[in-house]
Amino acid sequence: MKSTVKITACGVISALAVVLMLGTNIPIMLYTVPALTGMLFLIPAIELSPKWAFLCFGITGVLSFLLPTEREALIMFLGLLGYYPTVKVLVERLKSRAIGVAIKLVTFNAAITACFWLTFELLGINIFKSEKLPLEIMIIAVYAVGNIVFAVYDFALTRILNVYFLKWRKTVRKTLGIKSK
């Protein structure tokens, strides 16, 4: 495939992703939009290569930083939701499913820890502040629920990949000028 097609596809996907990220200014879309935006990078990860998907992620991250997007959503996008779909594509190629699950969980827990730290340090938001529960209980509860929600998100990504391969891939490959194998 020609480099111009790859660059164009990457540019179009990045532009769409940036437009989506502007939707984070709607309060109810704070975590939904970064998750949906990251799903866009499945197309270059599958059809071009993961490096092109990471390039789309980087372009989107820089432009979203420069434009008026919600900062907490941007941290979640940059910290996990933007690049995870590409990581998922790479991890799913491993032969060992147990190693893949371990990599996914380590990636999530490391990323969410970094996101919490950045949210506290940069934005000054303390989600663990509670008058009724001790700090340790709050942290354990957030991580437990977070891992469950992450498992649901990973499952949803798998379903979206299935739909992509069954219904959309032929059209995308034709649009990009990729010959079917």
Side-chain angles (χ1 to χ4, degrees):
M1 179 187 314
K2 293 181 182 180
S3 292
T4 54
V5 173
K6 291 178 181 180
I7 292 168
T8 303
C10 188
V12 169
I13 289 170
S14 296
L16 181 57
V18 169
V19 169
L20 276 174
M21 283 300 290
L22 290 173
T24 60
N25 292 315
I26 302 168
I28 198 166
M29 304 300 262
L30 192 65
Y31 298 111
T32 307
V33 168
L36 292 173
T37 303
M39 290 180 192
L40 286 175
F41 306 140
L42 289 170
I43 295 170
I46 293 166
E47 302 303 341
L48 305 176
S49 76
K51 72 178 182 180
W52 285 97
F54 284 122
L55 178 63
C56 291
F57 163 72
I59 291 167
T60 304
V62 169
L63 291 175
S64 295
F65 180 77
L66 296 174
L67 293 170
T69 56
E70 176 63 40
R71 293 302 171 205
E72 187 178 357
L74 181 61
I75 288 173
M76 290 306 293
F77 174 76
L78 294 173
L80 177 69
L81 298 172
Y83 67 84
Y84 178 72
T86 306
V87 170
K88 178 179 177 59
V89 168
L90 290 169
V91 169
E92 302 265 321
R93 294 177 182 171
L94 297 174
K95 293 188 190 291
S96 173
R97 188 171 180 165
I99 292 174
V101 169
I103 290 171
K104 290 176 186 180
L105 289 174
V106 167
T107 300
F108 169 74
N109 286 296
I112 206 71
T113 300
C115 287
F116 283 148
W117 184 82
L118 285 171
T119 302
F120 300 149
E121 294 299 317
L122 294 179
L123 302 178
I125 299 171
N126 186 357
I127 65 165
F128 295 121
K129 189 174 184 179
S130 172
E131 296 173 8
K132 297 179 182 177
L133 294 173
L135 178 64
E136 296 80 15
I137 303 262
M138 289 290 294
I139 291 172
I140 290 169
V142 166
Y143 276 92
V145 171
N147 277 279
I148 293 168
V149 170
F150 175 71
V152 171
Y153 177 64
D154 186 67
F155 180 75
L157 279 176
T158 301
R159 293 296 185 170
I160 288 169
L161 282 168
N162 289 340
V163 170
Y164 175 76
F165 281 111
L166 292 173
K167 296 193 178 214
W168 300 332
R169 188 172 195 203
K170 188 175 180 181
T171 305
V172 170
R173 290 177 72 85
K174 184 177 178 183
T175 303
L176 292 175
I178 302 171
K179 296 192 186 334
S180 296
K181 295 177 183 176

